[in-house]
Amino acid sequence: MYLLDNPLRPYAWGSVTAIADLLGREPSGSPEAELWIGAHPASPSVAMLPDGTRTPLDQLIAADSRAALGGAGSRSGDRLPFLLKVLAAESALSLQVHPSLEQAAAGYDAEEAAGVPVDAAHRNYKDRSHKPEMLFALTRFDALCGFRPLEESAAVFGFLAGLCEPGSEEAGLLGTVATDLGSGAPAALRNAFEALLSAGVGIVAAVEAAVAFPREIEPIDRDFAGYFTDAAATVAELGSQYPGDAGVLVALLLNRVSLQPGDVIHLPAGHIHAYLSGLAIEVMASSDNVLRGGLTSKHVDVPELLRTVIFEPLALPSVPAATNLLDQELYLPPYEEFQLQRIVVHHGGDPVPLAQNGPAVVLVVSGSVRLDSPKSDLSLERGQSGFLPDIEQPVLVHPVQGAGSPAVLFAVTCGTPSGTEGVRR
C-alpha cells in the first residue's frame, strides 16, 4: 500500500478555503477547485515508495499492472478505471455533458488522426473513456442536473417573457420557447436548447436586466410559483458570474437541486449538468472528456455538443446508501468502473473491512486510521490518502489507539464488488 501526494487544480471557480479546511491544512491562498486522487495521465497522484523515492501512480501501475489492478486491468486496458476528486465550487462550473464510451473512443481517434495536440484549447477528447460520475455532498451542494419536465420549463419561460419589454427581441425569443415547450412536440426540447444557446449577448443581458427590475405582471400559473422564484434567482446568480452568457438561459431548462450533506447523485453520459456551489466527494470513470455548452470562457463546440446531449427530461438520479451483510455503507451506481464506501471507525471499536473489488484509493477526512493487509500496513491521518493494489486484499481499517473522535474515510474501488450479496438499500 502506498501513501499518495495528490495534485490540486486551481480553477478560478474553486474555493480558497474549503478543501484545506476539510483536510486540515493551511490554504494555499489561491482558488483550490479539485484535488485529484488517481492515475489519470493529465494529473496523476504521486506514490511514496518504501525506499523514500516518489513515482507517478500511473507509472507505478504500469510497472506491474497485474498486481496493481488484478482482473480490473483486463477491462480497463491496464489503467486505473476510476478517479476520486474533492470538488470545491465557490461559483458555477460550466454547463457540460460527457460522451458515451463509443463517442469518446471515436472522437479521440478522430482528433488524433487529425493531429490535434491533446493539450490544445479546442480539443474535445483528451482520452478514449466515457465519464459517468457520482457526487457525495459534504456540505449543501447546489447543482443543475438534467432537463426538467417540459411543462415546468414552458411555465418558466412564459413568466420570463412577461417580464421583458413587450415586442422586444428577448420577449419574442422567450415566448416562442415557452410555446414550443408547451406543445410537448418530440423536437421541442432540442429546438429550445438550440434557440437559447444561440441567443446573443444583448438578448441575455436584457433578460438579466428584466429579472433585476421586474415589471408587475399577472401570475401565469400559480402551480409553478416556486419555479418562477427559483428561475429569477438562477438568472440573477449566474448572470452576475457570466454576464451575457447564453448558458444563463439554457440553465433554466434544467432541474435545480440543493443536496444536503450525505445526499448522493450520479450522472450518466449525455445528460447536461452544472455544479453551482458547495463541497463534495466526486467519483468518476478516469476521464477528462468534457463538452461545454456555456458558463465558461473555454472552448464550446456546438455541433459536437448537440450530438452528445440526450434531449429527454431526467428525474433526479439519486443513489441511496446500501449496506451488505457486513453493514458496510456503500454507494453503488450503475457503472462497472467504480463504487464508493464511507467508513467510520471508532476508538476502541472493531476494525472495519474494506469492500474492495480490485484496486482502491482511500482518503481520510477525519481522525487517523491504520490499514492492515496480509502484505503490509499503512497509517493515514486526516488529509492523507493511499493507493491499495488489488494484491493487498483483504484490507481492514483499524482505529488508531488513543484517538478521540471517530475516524472517517472514503474508499473508491471498482464496481460490482465481491461480498455484497444481500445488499440492502
Side-chain angles (χ1 to χ4, degrees):
M1 293 183 281
Y2 301 91
L3 179 68
L4 296 177
D5 184 16
N6 306 299
L8 272 168
R9 289 292 183 102
Y11 304 134
W13 48 261
S15 169
V16 175
T17 60
I19 292 179
D21 288 347
L22 174 71
L23 302 183
R25 60 165 174 77
E26 289 297 316
S28 65
S30 300
E32 298 176 354
E34 295 178 349
L35 181 74
W36 287 31
I37 306 174
H40 193 281
S43 287
S45 299
V46 176
M48 312 299 171
L49 303 186
D51 63 3
T53 59
R54 298 158 53 94
T55 188
L57 184 56
D58 56 339
Q59 295 181 21
L60 176 74
I61 291 171
D64 190 350
S65 61
R66 180 62 188 174
L69 304 178
S74 62
R75 299 190 300 271
S76 63
D78 286 341
R79 297 170 58 248
L80 188 67
F82 52 78
L83 177 63
L84 168 64
K85 294 182 183 180
V86 182
L87 184 149
E90 188 72 22
S91 58
L93 284 67
S94 60
L95 275 171
Q96 58 188 260
V97 67
H98 306 303
S100 67
L101 186 59
E102 295 76 14
Q103 184 179 358
Y108 179 86
D109 291 346
E111 289 185 317
E112 285 288 282
V116 182
V118 73
D119 59 351
H122 64 286
R123 174 133 183 178
N124 291 318
Y125 298 97
K126 305 300 178 64
D127 51 64
R128 304 183 80 253
S129 178
H130 63 165
K131 192 185 174 186
E133 57 192 36
M134 180 170 67
L135 185 139
F136 182 111
L138 296 172
T139 65
R140 169 175 165 162
F141 198 95
D142 289 339
L144 302 168
C145 299
F147 291 115
R148 68 166 105 201
L150 268 63
E151 61 270 21
E152 292 179 15
S153 291
V156 164
F157 282 98
F159 163 72
L160 291 176
L163 295 180
C164 297
E165 188 67 29
S168 64
E169 189 176 5
E170 58 272 14
L173 171 64
L174 300 183
T176 298
V177 166
T179 299
D180 287 348
L181 291 170
S183 73
L189 190 51
R190 182 187 179 99
N191 292 341
F193 184 87
E194 291 191 59
L196 295 170
L197 194 61
S198 62
V201 172
I203 290 179
V204 179
V207 176
E208 292 167 353
V211 168
F213 302 101
R215 299 182 300 104
E216 292 294 330
I217 64 169
E218 289 296 319
I220 297 171
D221 188 333
R222 296 185 186 277
D223 292 338
F224 292 102
Y227 298 120
F228 304 154
T229 302
D230 288 347
T234 298
V235 170
E237 175 186 355
L238 298 181
S240 68
Q241 298 174 24
Y242 299 96
D245 191 309
V248 173
L249 302 183
V250 174
L252 301 178
L253 292 169
L254 308 184
N255 298 295
R256 178 159 183 160
V257 299
S258 291
L259 306 177
Q260 299 305 309
D263 288 345
V264 182
I265 59 172
H266 75 93
L267 288 161
H271 291 282
I272 195 159
H273 60 281
Y275 298 144
L276 303 180
S277 64
L279 179 68
I281 298 292
E282 190 180 21
V283 190
M284 62 196 66
S286 186
S287 174
D288 198 26
N289 287 329
V290 179
L291 294 162
R292 298 175 179 86
L295 307 181
T296 183
S297 59
K298 295 183 178 180
H299 175 60
V300 175
D301 184 336
V302 173
E304 194 68 12
L305 181 75
L306 293 174
R307 281 194 288 269
T308 308
V309 173
I310 296 174
F311 290 100
E312 298 173 358
L314 179 70
L316 181 64
S318 60
V319 181
T323 56
N324 61 10
L325 298 177
L326 299 176
D327 281 334
Q328 295 165 320
E329 181 183 340
L330 306 174
Y331 297 89
L332 308 173
Y335 315 117
E336 69 173 18
E337 286 87 356
F338 59 85
Q339 69 172 42
L340 178 69
Q341 181 182 10
R342 180 178 176 270
I343 301 173
V344 180
V345 289
H346 298 271
H347 172 57
D350 295 330
V352 176
L354 195 75
Q356 188 172 354
N357 181 48
V361 297
V362 299
L363 170 67
V364 179
V365 297
S366 178
S368 301
V369 299
R370 179 175 62 86
L371 306 180
D372 169 34
S373 86
K375 293 184 175 293
S376 65
D377 288 359
L378 179 65
S379 295
L380 297 174
E381 300 177 352
R382 177 187 177 190
Q384 292 185 318
S385 60
F387 173 64
L388 287 55
D390 171 81
I391 202 170
E392 294 279 351
Q393 298 187 68
V395 174
L396 291 175
V397 182
H398 295 262
V400 172
Q401 297 304 312
S405 59
V408 180
L409 64 153
F410 290 91
V412 181
T413 188
C414 300
T416 318
S418 59
T420 58
E421 293 82 2
V423 162
R424 302 182 296 273
R425 294 184 183 270

